[in-house]
Amino acid sequence: MRKSEILSAGLFTAAYLLPVCFSKPVPANEAIWIEGEGYNTSTFVETQGAGSWYHNDKITKDLLSPGEPGVSVGDWHSHYTSNNYRDSGTATYSLTVTEGGSYSWWIRLNPFRNSNGGADYSYSIDDGTWQDIDLSYVTNRLDLVDPGIDIRFIAWTFGGSIDLTPGMHTLKVRISDRDGADEQGHGGIDAIAFTNFPWAPTGVVRPNPNPPAPGPDDWFMLMAGPDRHSPDSIIDMSHLIEKPAGKRGFLKRQGKDFLFEEGTPVKFWGVDAGMTETVESQRRQARFYAKYGINMVRQHPVQSVLGVLQSGGRSRQFDPAKLDRWDRWFSILKDNGISMTWSLFYPHVITPDDGYPQDLYNELPDKGAGKSTSGVVTMMRELQDAEWQWERALLEHVNPYTGLAYKDDPSLAIVEVHNEDSIFWHAPLNDLANYNNGKFDRHAAILGTMWMNWVKRRYSNDGNLIVAWGSGRRSDDSVDNPKMKMYGAWEMEADGPRSNKSREKKRMGDFIRFLAELQRDYYERRQQRLRELGYKAVTVTTAWKVGGPAASAANLWTDDAMDAIDRHNYFGGGAGGHNIIAGLVSNDTHMNKAGRGILSSGFWQVEDKPFIMTEWTQKPPNQWKAEIAPLFAFYGIGLQGWDASYHFAASRAFMGNGWPGMRSYVTCTPHYIGQFPALAFAIYNNHFEEGDIISARRLSTDDIFAGTDKLQQEYGLVGYDENELLAHGDTPVEALAVGRVTLKIKDGQESSYLSELSAYWDRQAQTIRSSTGQFTWDYGDKVVTVHSEKTQGVIGFAGGRTYDLPGVNVRIGRTPFISLLFTPLDNRPLIESEHILITAMAQDKQYGTVYNEDGTKLIETGGPPLLLEPVQAILTFKGAALTSVNVVDVYGVPTAQQVERTGNSFEIDGRYATYYYQVKRLVE
């Protein structure tokens, strides 16, 4: 994608996606664009020539604004000072105003800041008072170097609103060395824009005062600026979230459900989110989340924010500045009604001050300020104790902004032992089982001795061991041998150990039991310590899987030691892994097989425990990612009765643009957070019934320690992969579209059962109706219809088809793939509702994005802006006559623009350049 292509594309910018109250009305729209290098005078220190920092050949200047012919040269205006030369710089610009009135202005600059350097920016209009430019709101960030781990990047930030009279004006922008910065001050300005009409920047697309009228098929640009949180917004769900968080007491587990201490049941619709830097940005962030119906934030991991405990005085302490920032963030979330989940470690990092034996410490991998304990923490009590020392220090700390120790604060809802770690995972079990491969040799020797001692406690002597293991006993197996064969994760295959399936099943089953008891003891001891400390809320072990299917059930048994079960799952993505790059795309869809992919995590729901998923997403550049948020809400939280959702991940206080940051994990984009208001409203108002248990799988401990996969997991062609799961024994993934699917490992319980699925599953028609009657999954046509009394919708490949829902008839036009949701905002049945929100999503892409024909290859990534395909559909509402249908902007504020209609029928399409609509009627 070239700048010239963007500037000449004539894209439909749909200004009415921004709030109509963004600025005062003016006689005519006016836009003023100023190049950063088009200054009148400047005292910036620019380092030119070979060896310069901002002007060398490594900077991708094609990402900068192309400049003005005869005025500027498609560069930017940079400022750089070092220890030897530290001073501020001021650039002066002229602008001519024609119309006059209130103008919003934006500036594209380098917002880098840290303790070693960066800059503070301020501005002055017509030699007036200097005012700070808020760098907490930055959007459209692009790296100017490749690779992008560098301080040379560019982003837009909102300058504010200014009243300007017609005529000439002067703008001064000052870059100052940051207070407390140790090394250098630097920054740069690429472009400045003033508008007297609603506009927000996207890449180097300039504001168009008079955009052409869009047509029905035209994709439209997302232009989202700062949210003014208008009281007129119809997507603001913050009123459904009680404030402060913890108002009803500590979160508790009651059987399979969450409820607050005073008895109110609760579901959580949350996100993983890091905190922004300043108090104002944290407040903006929390308010933004609450608006979109988010009532839970998972901090992952907490230690990455607070760091290791520091030595000083009589005890080790947290860094005071980091701790204060953390305390403030926690209190701001609490004030906004948002509870917190702590993912404490990923992994726990120790230093020599933790007292771990030096020879063992040296063997651990380097990580940050110390050493990683990943994997081996599950076997080493000394490392578990080090985790606890860190955790206890934080739980006992009194937050000055709340006045409570964290252990006593009910807004701390869930504490997780650590993230994605299991003794049964490849790392480090494969290395430990090898004994002597130069990686964990000392730890392997310890584990081997523990294995020997376990065998001796269980069998007493070699005679009993021979009887137990029979022909599977190896020649050197003995209750006195500290180097008996151990199994790597890769050896734990479904039908027994890879090396000797016919004879060593019992032997490997015992090894799995040994590891499982070791890991479960770790969790039980942590649970006991938390309760003895006085922590009253919910506990979770981790959310990780195993390396071989024979250990799957055993791993779940260890997780059952705490209050709730947690899992992670991801779908889609492409060649870039965590990032979006050109190359192969995993462009599959959930719609072609009911219950597959992310939803298949429901197979790990324990019958009598709450179930949560603290990480999930369908990763771009997958083209169908708009499907998963409603599927998760409706089938997961609704039908399956899951208790908490955390989309991965959000760390912004605003809607991102393009594919934000070219990352695979972003909540703040329309396909995710744009659908959250409709989904949160349905969840919090209980629009969906929980299904009865359709499949109860019940195993004993002897079953799970038999050395084989008693769950009988069946996978597709790819093999042992969570997204290819087809069935557990006689329970297919399709059962998850019928009713609840559960698993329990306990001795002495009732037998398993599977209800007759044919009552709900028409295999010939390729449709599955939920046991509640509220959902139908047509996996032949790849469409889900939602037909509850209140929330209704159509999701999937519905182009060219008609769907008759209880409250509305939907005829889809040429849009091949949609997520079309109807939400009765007065919480009445849709057919009676007087106030309805329509959320209409289709595909998205960046400008210049090119896929191959079937979307399995991303040829060109393109770049901002984000383009949204309009949903084209004819909607006919049942019930009383409609009184109005309005276009709603990206902030949820209804605009004055009406949708053309005939009676209760109207057509939505690209002419309206929006994904929200408001429908009103008066029911007598």
Side-chain angles (χ1 to χ4, degrees), residues 331-355:
S331 71
I332 289 171
L333 288 174
K334 179 176 181 175
D335 290 344
N336 281 270
I338 301 173
S339 299
M340 217 178 198
T341 293
W342 284 359
S343 168
L344 289 166
F345 309 113
Y346 186 51
H348 182 222
V349 174
I350 63 169
T351 69
D353 290 337
D354 285 286

PDB file of all heavy atoms in Angstrom, residues 331-355:
ATOM      1  N   SER A 331      -7.735   0.511  42.078  1.00  0.00           N
ATOM      2  CA  SER A 331      -8.816   1.309  42.678  1.00  0.00           C
ATOM      3  C   SER A 331      -9.697   1.941  41.609  1.00  0.00           C
ATOM      4  O   SER A 331     -10.914   2.076  41.804  1.00  0.00           O
ATOM      5  CB  SER A 331      -8.231   2.383  43.593  1.00  0.00           C
ATOM      6  OG  SER A 331      -7.575   3.407  42.849  1.00  0.00           O
ATOM      7  N   ILE A 332      -9.116   2.336  40.486  1.00  0.00           N
ATOM      8  CA  ILE A 332      -9.894   2.938  39.405  1.00  0.00           C
ATOM      9  C   ILE A 332     -10.831   1.900  38.796  1.00  0.00           C
ATOM     10  O   ILE A 332     -12.014   2.184  38.529  1.00  0.00           O
ATOM     11  CB  ILE A 332      -8.961   3.549  38.347  1.00  0.00           C
ATOM     12  CG1 ILE A 332      -8.282   4.800  38.915  1.00  0.00           C
ATOM     13  CG2 ILE A 332      -9.714   3.888  37.068  1.00  0.00           C
ATOM     14  CD1 ILE A 332      -7.173   5.359  38.048  1.00  0.00           C
ATOM     15  N   LEU A 333     -10.332   0.710  38.565  1.00  0.00           N
ATOM     16  CA  LEU A 333     -11.203  -0.360  38.082  1.00  0.00           C
ATOM     17  C   LEU A 333     -12.336  -0.614  39.072  1.00  0.00           C
ATOM     18  O   LEU A 333     -13.504  -0.743  38.684  1.00  0.00           O
ATOM     19  CB  LEU A 333     -10.399  -1.640  37.858  1.00  0.00           C
ATOM     20  CG  LEU A 333      -9.453  -1.674  36.672  1.00  0.00           C
ATOM     21  CD1 LEU A 333      -8.636  -2.952  36.684  1.00  0.00           C
ATOM     22  CD2 LEU A 333     -10.200  -1.545  35.345  1.00  0.00           C
ATOM     23  N   LYS A 334     -12.001  -0.691  40.325  1.00  0.00           N
ATOM     24  CA  LYS A 334     -13.003  -0.955  41.359  1.00  0.00           C
ATOM     25  C   LYS A 334     -14.091   0.118  41.351  1.00  0.00           C
ATOM     26  O   LYS A 334     -15.291  -0.189  41.407  1.00  0.00           O
ATOM     27  CB  LYS A 334     -12.328  -1.022  42.724  1.00  0.00           C
ATOM     28  CG  LYS A 334     -13.288  -1.272  43.885  1.00  0.00           C
ATOM     29  CD  LYS A 334     -12.545  -1.420  45.199  1.00  0.00           C
ATOM     30  CE  LYS A 334     -13.523  -1.705  46.342  1.00  0.00           C
ATOM     31  NZ  LYS A 334     -12.820  -1.982  47.621  1.00  0.00           N
ATOM     32  N   ASP A 335     -13.686   1.364  41.253  1.00  0.00           N
ATOM     33  CA  ASP A 335     -14.654   2.464  41.250  1.00  0.00           C
ATOM     34  C   ASP A 335     -15.603   2.388  40.054  1.00  0.00           C
ATOM     35  O   ASP A 335     -16.733   2.871  40.118  1.00  0.00           O
ATOM     36  CB  ASP A 335     -13.930   3.812  41.237  1.00  0.00           C
ATOM     37  CG  ASP A 335     -13.231   4.113  42.544  1.00  0.00           C
ATOM     38  OD1 ASP A 335     -13.537   3.451  43.556  1.00  0.00           O
ATOM     39  OD2 ASP A 335     -12.351   5.000  42.559  1.00  0.00           O
ATOM     40  N   ASN A 336     -15.127   1.788  38.965  1.00  0.00           N
ATOM     41  CA  ASN A 336     -15.948   1.653  37.769  1.00  0.00           C
ATOM     42  C   ASN A 336     -16.731   0.336  37.726  1.00  0.00           C
ATOM     43  O   ASN A 336     -17.319  -0.006  36.702  1.00  0.00           O
ATOM     44  CB  ASN A 336     -15.086   1.776  36.514  1.00  0.00           C
ATOM     45  CG  ASN A 336     -14.752   3.221  36.184  1.00  0.00           C
ATOM     46  OD1 ASN A 336     -15.477   3.897  35.461  1.00  0.00           O
ATOM     47  ND2 ASN A 336     -13.657   3.708  36.739  1.00  0.00           N
ATOM     48  N   GLY A 337     -16.708  -0.406  38.822  1.00  0.00           N
ATOM     49  CA  GLY A 337     -17.482  -1.636  38.905  1.00  0.00           C
ATOM     50  C   GLY A 337     -16.805  -2.838  38.290  1.00  0.00           C
ATOM     51  O   GLY A 337     -17.459  -3.863  38.054  1.00  0.00           O
ATOM     52  N   ILE A 338     -15.506  -2.744  38.027  1.00  0.00           N
ATOM     53  CA  ILE A 338     -14.781  -3.811  37.343  1.00  0.00           C
ATOM     54  C   ILE A 338     -13.936  -4.584  38.353  1.00  0.00           C
ATOM     55  O   ILE A 338     -13.037  -4.025  38.983  1.00  0.00           O
ATOM     56  CB  ILE A 338     -13.903  -3.233  36.226  1.00  0.00           C
ATOM     57  CG1 ILE A 338     -14.777  -2.484  35.207  1.00  0.00           C
ATOM     58  CG2 ILE A 338     -13.111  -4.345  35.540  1.00  0.00           C
ATOM     59  CD1 ILE A 338     -13.982  -1.727  34.151  1.00  0.00           C
ATOM     60  N   SER A 339     -14.258  -5.867  38.511  1.00  0.00           N
ATOM     61  CA  SER A 339     -13.490  -6.738  39.398  1.00  0.00           C
ATOM     62  C   SER A 339     -12.189  -7.141  38.722  1.00  0.00           C
ATOM     63  O   SER A 339     -11.992  -6.920  37.531  1.00  0.00           O
ATOM     64  CB  SER A 339     -14.305  -7.981  39.750  1.00  0.00           C
ATOM     65  OG  SER A 339     -15.502  -7.638  40.427  1.00  0.00           O
ATOM     66  N   MET A 340     -11.316  -7.774  39.500  1.00  0.00           N
ATOM     67  CA  MET A 340     -10.019  -8.147  38.962  1.00  0.00           C
ATOM     68  C   MET A 340      -9.720  -9.620  39.199  1.00  0.00           C
ATOM     69  O   MET A 340     -10.075 -10.190  40.225  1.00  0.00           O
ATOM     70  CB  MET A 340      -8.914  -7.295  39.576  1.00  0.00           C
ATOM     71  CG  MET A 340      -7.821  -6.937  38.586  1.00  0.00           C
ATOM     72  SD  MET A 340      -6.543  -5.891  39.313  1.00  0.00           S
ATOM     73  CE  MET A 340      -5.802  -5.241  37.830  1.00  0.00           C
ATOM     74  N   THR A 341      -9.063 -10.200  38.193  1.00  0.00           N
ATOM     75  CA  THR A 341      -8.470 -11.526  38.292  1.00  0.00           C
ATOM     76  C   THR A 341      -6.968 -11.363  38.177  1.00  0.00           C
ATOM     77  O   THR A 341      -6.495 -10.650  37.294  1.00  0.00           O
ATOM     78  CB  THR A 341      -8.989 -12.433  37.161  1.00  0.00           C
ATOM     79  OG1 THR A 341     -10.384 -12.686  37.355  1.00  0.00           O
ATOM     80  CG2 THR A 341      -8.240 -13.756  37.131  1.00  0.00           C
ATOM     81  N   TRP A 342      -6.246 -12.022  39.050  1.00  0.00           N
ATOM     82  CA  TRP A 342      -4.789 -11.937  39.017  1.00  0.00           C
ATOM     83  C   TRP A 342      -4.196 -13.199  38.418  1.00  0.00           C
ATOM     84  O   TRP A 342      -4.335 -14.296  38.980  1.00  0.00           O
ATOM     85  CB  TRP A 342      -4.221 -11.758  40.422  1.00  0.00           C
ATOM     86  CG  TRP A 342      -4.373 -10.374  40.983  1.00  0.00           C
ATOM     87  CD1 TRP A 342      -4.922  -9.304  40.372  1.00  0.00           C
ATOM     88  CD2 TRP A 342      -3.963  -9.944  42.287  1.00  0.00           C
ATOM     89  NE1 TRP A 342      -4.887  -8.204  41.201  1.00  0.00           N
ATOM     90  CE2 TRP A 342      -4.302  -8.573  42.390  1.00  0.00           C
ATOM     91  CE3 TRP A 342      -3.357 -10.567  43.366  1.00  0.00           C
ATOM     92  CZ2 TRP A 342      -4.046  -7.834  43.548  1.00  0.00           C
ATOM     93  CZ3 TRP A 342      -3.103  -9.834  44.514  1.00  0.00           C
ATOM     94  CH2 TRP A 342      -3.442  -8.484  44.600  1.00  0.00           C
ATOM     95  N   SER A 343      -3.547 -13.068  37.286  1.00  0.00           N
ATOM     96  CA  SER A 343      -2.652 -14.094  36.766  1.00  0.00           C
ATOM     97  C   SER A 343      -1.274 -13.686  37.238  1.00  0.00           C
ATOM     98  O   SER A 343      -0.642 -12.804  36.658  1.00  0.00           O
ATOM     99  CB  SER A 343      -2.728 -14.132  35.235  1.00  0.00           C
ATOM    100  OG  SER A 343      -1.688 -14.906  34.697  1.00  0.00           O
ATOM    101  N   LEU A 344      -0.816 -14.286  38.303  1.00  0.00           N
ATOM    102  CA  LEU A 344       0.332 -13.739  39.026  1.00  0.00           C
ATOM    103  C   LEU A 344       1.650 -13.885  38.280  1.00  0.00           C
ATOM    104  O   LEU A 344       2.448 -12.954  38.225  1.00  0.00           O
ATOM    105  CB  LEU A 344       0.437 -14.402  40.398  1.00  0.00           C
ATOM    106  CG  LEU A 344      -0.655 -13.996  41.391  1.00  0.00           C
ATOM    107  CD1 LEU A 344      -0.672 -14.943  42.577  1.00  0.00           C
ATOM    108  CD2 LEU A 344      -0.443 -12.565  41.862  1.00  0.00           C
ATOM    109  N   PHE A 345       1.877 -15.054  37.685  1.00  0.00           N
ATOM    110  CA  PHE A 345       3.207 -15.336  37.144  1.00  0.00           C
ATOM    111  C   PHE A 345       3.132 -15.953  35.753  1.00  0.00           C
ATOM    112  O   PHE A 345       2.281 -16.802  35.486  1.00  0.00           O
ATOM    113  CB  PHE A 345       3.955 -16.319  38.059  1.00  0.00           C
ATOM    114  CG  PHE A 345       3.972 -15.931  39.502  1.00  0.00           C
ATOM    115  CD1 PHE A 345       3.302 -16.690  40.449  1.00  0.00           C
ATOM    116  CD2 PHE A 345       4.647 -14.795  39.929  1.00  0.00           C
ATOM    117  CE1 PHE A 345       3.312 -16.342  41.787  1.00  0.00           C
ATOM    118  CE2 PHE A 345       4.668 -14.434  41.269  1.00  0.00           C
ATOM    119  CZ  PHE A 345       3.993 -15.204  42.203  1.00  0.00           C
ATOM    120  N   TYR A 346       4.073 -15.543  34.890  1.00  0.00           N
ATOM    121  CA  TYR A 346       4.234 -16.192  33.579  1.00  0.00           C
ATOM    122  C   TYR A 346       5.649 -15.975  33.069  1.00  0.00           C
ATOM    123  O   TYR A 346       5.859 -15.179  32.162  1.00  0.00           O
ATOM    124  CB  TYR A 346       3.201 -15.645  32.589  1.00  0.00           C
ATOM    125  CG  TYR A 346       3.210 -16.383  31.256  1.00  0.00           C
ATOM    126  CD1 TYR A 346       3.144 -17.771  31.202  1.00  0.00           C
ATOM    127  CD2 TYR A 346       3.283 -15.679  30.058  1.00  0.00           C
ATOM    128  CE1 TYR A 346       3.148 -18.430  29.977  1.00  0.00           C
ATOM    129  CE2 TYR A 346       3.284 -16.342  28.837  1.00  0.00           C
ATOM    130  CZ  TYR A 346       3.212 -17.712  28.805  1.00  0.00           C
ATOM    131  OH  TYR A 346       3.215 -18.380  27.602  1.00  0.00           O
ATOM    132  N   PRO A 347       6.592 -16.692  33.622  1.00  0.00           N
ATOM    133  CA  PRO A 347       6.554 -17.493  34.852  1.00  0.00           C
ATOM    134  C   PRO A 347       6.979 -16.630  36.032  1.00  0.00           C
ATOM    135  O   PRO A 347       7.292 -15.448  35.870  1.00  0.00           O
ATOM    136  CB  PRO A 347       7.599 -18.558  34.548  1.00  0.00           C
ATOM    137  CG  PRO A 347       8.646 -17.775  33.787  1.00  0.00           C
ATOM    138  CD  PRO A 347       7.898 -16.774  32.949  1.00  0.00           C
ATOM    139  N   HIS A 348       7.037 -17.247  37.209  1.00  0.00           N
ATOM    140  CA  HIS A 348       7.631 -16.549  38.343  1.00  0.00           C
ATOM    141  C   HIS A 348       9.136 -16.420  38.109  1.00  0.00           C
ATOM    142  O   HIS A 348       9.809 -17.391  37.746  1.00  0.00           O
ATOM    143  CB  HIS A 348       7.382 -17.324  39.634  1.00  0.00           C
ATOM    144  CG  HIS A 348       7.921 -16.641  40.848  1.00  0.00           C
ATOM    145  ND1 HIS A 348       8.585 -17.302  41.857  1.00  0.00           N
ATOM    146  CD2 HIS A 348       7.908 -15.330  41.221  1.00  0.00           C
ATOM    147  CE1 HIS A 348       8.954 -16.439  42.795  1.00  0.00           C
ATOM    148  NE2 HIS A 348       8.548 -15.246  42.422  1.00  0.00           N
ATOM    149  N   VAL A 349       9.639 -15.211  38.287  1.00  0.00           N
ATOM    150  CA  VAL A 349      11.066 -14.937  38.134  1.00  0.00           C
ATOM    151  C   VAL A 349      11.678 -14.788  39.519  1.00  0.00           C
ATOM    152  O   VAL A 349      11.182 -14.025  40.351  1.00  0.00           O
ATOM    153  CB  VAL A 349      11.295 -13.659  37.298  1.00  0.00           C
ATOM    154  CG1 VAL A 349      12.772 -13.301  37.254  1.00  0.00           C
ATOM    155  CG2 VAL A 349      10.737 -13.841  35.889  1.00  0.00           C
ATOM    156  N   ILE A 350      12.734 -15.523  39.753  1.00  0.00           N
ATOM    157  CA  ILE A 350      13.424 -15.433  41.039  1.00  0.00           C
ATOM    158  C   ILE A 350      14.808 -14.821  40.845  1.00  0.00           C
ATOM    159  O   ILE A 350      15.350 -14.808  39.735  1.00  0.00           O
ATOM    160  CB  ILE A 350      13.545 -16.804  41.731  1.00  0.00           C
ATOM    161  CG1 ILE A 350      14.394 -17.764  40.899  1.00  0.00           C
ATOM    162  CG2 ILE A 350      12.172 -17.393  42.021  1.00  0.00           C
ATOM    163  CD1 ILE A 350      14.778 -19.043  41.637  1.00  0.00           C
ATOM    164  N   THR A 351      15.362 -14.329  41.919  1.00  0.00           N
ATOM    165  CA  THR A 351      16.724 -13.801  41.955  1.00  0.00           C
ATOM    166  C   THR A 351      17.493 -14.553  43.045  1.00  0.00           C
ATOM    167  O   THR A 351      16.899 -15.326  43.821  1.00  0.00           O
ATOM    168  CB  THR A 351      16.731 -12.299  42.267  1.00  0.00           C
ATOM    169  OG1 THR A 351      16.303 -12.104  43.630  1.00  0.00           O
ATOM    170  CG2 THR A 351      15.789 -11.540  41.323  1.00  0.00           C
ATOM    171  N   PRO A 352      18.796 -14.334  43.158  1.00  0.00           N
ATOM    172  CA  PRO A 352      19.534 -15.002  44.240  1.00  0.00           C
ATOM    173  C   PRO A 352      18.972 -14.713  45.627  1.00  0.00           C
ATOM    174  O   PRO A 352      19.129 -15.518  46.552  1.00  0.00           O
ATOM    175  CB  PRO A 352      20.953 -14.442  44.074  1.00  0.00           C
ATOM    176  CG  PRO A 352      21.070 -14.164  42.609  1.00  0.00           C
ATOM    177  CD  PRO A 352      19.710 -13.655  42.205  1.00  0.00           C
ATOM    178  N   ASP A 353      18.283 -13.571  45.783  1.00  0.00           N
ATOM    179  CA  ASP A 353      17.705 -13.227  47.078  1.00  0.00           C
ATOM    180  C   ASP A 353      16.604 -14.191  47.504  1.00  0.00           C
ATOM    181  O   ASP A 353      16.228 -14.226  48.677  1.00  0.00           O
ATOM    182  CB  ASP A 353      17.128 -11.813  47.042  1.00  0.00           C
ATOM    183  CG  ASP A 353      18.218 -10.752  46.958  1.00  0.00           C
ATOM    184  OD1 ASP A 353      19.367 -11.051  47.363  1.00  0.00           O
ATOM    185  OD2 ASP A 353      17.933  -9.637  46.484  1.00  0.00           O
ATOM    186  N   ASP A 354      16.068 -14.985  46.569  1.00  0.00           N
ATOM    187  CA  ASP A 354      15.032 -15.951  46.922  1.00  0.00           C
ATOM    188  C   ASP A 354      15.613 -17.178  47.615  1.00  0.00           C
ATOM    189  O   ASP A 354      14.853 -18.015  48.129  1.00  0.00           O
ATOM    190  CB  ASP A 354      14.259 -16.369  45.673  1.00  0.00           C
ATOM    191  CG  ASP A 354      13.298 -15.289  45.208  1.00  0.00           C
ATOM    192  OD1 ASP A 354      12.258 -15.105  45.874  1.00  0.00           O
ATOM    193  OD2 ASP A 354      13.586 -14.618  44.199  1.00  0.00           O
ATOM    194  N   GLY A 355      16.941 -17.310  47.633  1.00  0.00           N
ATOM    195  CA  GLY A 355      17.567 -18.372  48.406  1.00  0.00           C
ATOM    196  C   GLY A 355      17.539 -19.744  47.774  1.00  0.00           C
ATOM    197  O   GLY A 355      17.773 -20.756  48.463  1.00  0.00           O
TER     198      GLY A 355
END
